[in-house]
Amino acid sequence: MKIDKAEVIVTSPDRNFVTLKLTTDDGLTGLGDATLNGRELSVVSYLADHVVPLLIGRDAHNIEDTWQFLYRSAYWRRGPVTMAAIAAVDVALWDLKAKAAGMPLYQLLGGASRTGLLAYGHASGKDIPELFDSVRSHLDQGYRAIRIQTGVPGLRAIYGVASNVTSAGNTGKRYDHEPAQRAPLPVEEDWDTRAYLTHLPGVFEAVRNEFGPSIPLLHDGHHRMTPIQAAKLGKALEPYDLFWLEDCTPAENQAALRLVRQHTTTPLAIGEVFNTVWDYQTLITEQLIDYVRSAVTHTGGVTALKKILEFAAQYQIKSGMHGPTDISPVGMAAAMHLGLAIHNFGIQEYMKHGEATNRVFEQSFSWNDGMLHPGDQPGIGVELKVDEAGKYPYQTAYLPYNRLADGTVHDW
Ligand code: GCO
Ligand code: MG
């Protein structure tokens, strides 16, 4: 099974997606997601200019060897662009191998360890009534676990708050800035950590009073706090029994989590911007986190993320794979197969893609009663409709960024 053709396909149905499509000499095709939100074209160039020429003629069965070859031979290791490119090759090869075997990918990863994957969705509102409507709409859609984000009094649009609650979760247009702003410059938002820390515990109190103690609730701090602020927030949220507090501090300083951990029993999730096991070394070995947030798409593919999650399992740390709409249906499918197979699955983030995206990517996963299942098609179960994809050319898009009241740029 030799690789005959490798194409990098860019399409922008609801937002930009980068997909690698491999075709073998026996006519099988495999897909991998290489979407790096807001920096998509760097991965396109990395793949098309530097990786595609290396793939032609290679044995598609040798996944581990290809992974090691792409990682080690480049000399310049790690980084989001490199690891997204390697991830795309890796997932496309797993898709091919599973198709060749006539099995869904999860079977090759050890078979199913569960019947389905608990998923969480994103509820948000500029104020509490709007947030409650959004929570209700997510419960109606079947979600059994819900992330809670709200506006903060005195601040304009902020991270994670949808502009149109009724459409959240089914159009792909979740927030004011989603899809990543299709504009030549990034949108500026404002931020005030003190106002946020004062406001948030009351929001969780209100949600628990309205919706009861049993529903798992999550929150994303999006890297905005210092370690001591994060420790304070974790402690303040303890009465509301969160499933997790995500990205409470900028994740590149692993040692910062020691301080947070000493002060709170609120479970911690980190890692959507990480790209190798080295980003987790201290966090895992010192048990400073409870959930690994890495996506297959940004962490070198199934091959690499499976190893990270097996390492984490030795420390009773579970998976909580990143799954916003900027992970394409190809990346989501790969995550579902991996999540079904590993022992230490925790939860899967799941935001529904828009209709145009679903027309471009034909999918076979199921969503029933708050649980995801990748389906039983051979491979990962996603096919790219090239004609549909061609209708949506790339559009310049940026994520927003934020500044404090005095104009200082803050963490995004
Ligand atoms: C999440 C994330 C996303 C990111 C986005 C950036 O927890 O889902 O924080 O909303 O902001 O993926 O590309
Ligand atoms: Mg996040």
Side-chain angles (χ1 to χ4, degrees):
M1 190 167 72
K2 297 240 182 302
I3 301 171
D4 236 12
K5 204 156 93 181
E7 299 156 272
V8 185
I9 298 158
V10 182
T11 181
S12 193
D14 297 296
R15 60 185 315 133
N16 293 317
F17 294 114
V18 178
T19 310
L20 177 69
K21 180 177 176 186
L22 300 182
T23 307
T24 64
D25 52 2
D26 32 21
L28 288 179
T29 57
L31 299 177
D33 177 24
T35 307
L36 192 60
N37 198 7
R39 293 293 185 273
E40 295 89 353
L41 298 184
S42 305
V43 193
V44 173
S45 158
Y46 191 106
L47 280 168
D49 297 334
H50 304 292
V51 174
V52 164
L54 308 178
L55 297 177
I56 307 304
R58 286 186 76 83
D59 186 343
H61 274 305
N62 296 343
I63 300 178
E64 180 70 26
D65 179 66
T66 301
W67 195 98
Q68 299 297 343
F69 166 63
L70 293 177
Y71 183 76
R72 292 170 199 281
S73 71
Y75 187 63
W76 311 106
R77 296 183 186 184
R78 311 195 288 165
V81 175
T82 297
M83 299 314 288
I86 294 179
V89 176
D90 184 76
V91 170
L93 292 178
W94 278 112
D95 192 19
L96 283 169
K97 191 188 270 296
K99 281 181 177 169
M103 288 182 181
L105 173 58
Y106 71 82
Q107 293 292 8
L108 302 193
L109 303 176
S113 290
R114 55 195 51 80
T115 54
L117 306 171
L118 176 68
Y120 75 90
H122 291 198
S124 70
K126 63 177 182 333
D127 51 26
I128 303 261
E130 211 179 270
L131 172 66
F132 283 4
D133 286 349
S134 177
V135 172
R136 282 189 200 102
S137 130
H138 280 79
L139 292 172
D140 290 347
Q141 292 172 53
Y143 281 103
R144 293 194 205 169
I146 297 183
R147 190 182 89 159
I148 299 291
Q149 307 290 140
T150 52
V152 173
L155 297 183
R156 297 169 298 162
I158 63 163
Y159 165 76
V161 178
S163 52
N164 178 355
V165 175
T166 52
S167 70
N170 50 29
T171 66
K173 292 178 185 171
R174 299 168 295 159
Y175 315 137
D176 291 335
H177 64 264
E178 296 287 350
Q181 198 73 23
R182 282 166 162 166
L185 290 172
V187 164
E188 186 180 304
E189 297 181 347
D190 50 13
W191 185 248
D192 179 339
T193 310
R194 191 177 163 78
Y196 161 77
L197 290 176
T198 308
H199 184 61
L200 197 67
V203 171
F204 274 89
E205 186 184 10
V207 172
R208 279 291 178 219
N209 288 341
E210 183 72 12
F211 296 98
S214 59
I215 180 151
L217 298 177
L218 303 86
H219 179 73
D220 190 349
H222 232 255
H223 319 115
R224 305 219 170 158
M225 288 166 272
T226 63
I228 200 70
Q229 289 168 337
K232 187 177 172 186
L233 180 64
K235 232 172 149 167
L237 293 178
E238 279 171 21
Y240 315 113
D241 189 26
L242 266 62
F243 186 95
W244 78 35
L245 171 61
E246 176 189 347
D247 285 341
C248 59
T249 63
E252 53 267 48
N253 182 5
Q254 295 183 49
L257 269 292
R258 290 188 186 126
L259 188 141
V260 184
R261 196 63 153 179
Q262 274 164 18
H263 289 283
T264 180
T265 56
T266 293
L268 302 172
I270 266 188
E272 70 182 41
V273 300
F274 289 0
N275 42 75
T276 70
V277 68
W278 304 107
D279 298 320
Y280 286 104
Q281 193 176 19
T282 305
L283 298 177
I284 290 178
T285 56
E286 296 186 22
Q287 292 188 263
L288 300 179
I289 56 169
D290 301 280
Y291 296 93
V292 162
R293 284 286 286 145
S294 280
V296 169
T297 303
H298 301 131
T299 322
V302 167
T303 297
L305 187 53
K306 188 165 191 290
K307 290 174 186 175
I308 295 174
L309 291 173
E310 279 162 3
F311 176 38
Q314 313 314 312
Y315 297 85
Q316 294 174 286
I317 297 168
K318 295 188 175 189
S319 73
M321 290 178 232
H322 193 208
T325 47
D326 48 279
I327 306 282
S328 88
V330 173
M332 283 301 293
M336 289 183 222
H337 284 277
L338 182 57
L340 201 69
I342 56 171
H343 178 250
N344 57 331
F345 171 80
I347 199 165
Q348 174 63 55
E349 182 179 19
Y350 172 51
M351 310 202 51
K352 296 175 184 174
H353 282 113
E355 282 166 24
T357 299
N358 292 335
R359 280 195 299 275
V360 171
F361 297 94
E362 204 175 83
Q363 300 157 65
S364 63
F365 77 96
S366 62
W367 165 247
N368 283 318
D369 201 19
M371 306 290 277
L372 291 163
H373 190 286
D376 283 303
Q377 298 273 326
I380 59 169
V382 183
E383 293 304 326
L384 181 77
K385 298 282 160 204
V386 177
D387 291 349
E388 276 296 313
K391 291 182 189 165
Y392 305 105
Y394 169 80
Q395 295 190 37
T396 303
Y398 282 98
L399 283 159
Y401 76 109
N402 58 85
R403 288 184 188 272
L404 307 180
D406 69 357
T408 307
V409 174
H410 195 60
D411 294 300
W412 156 236

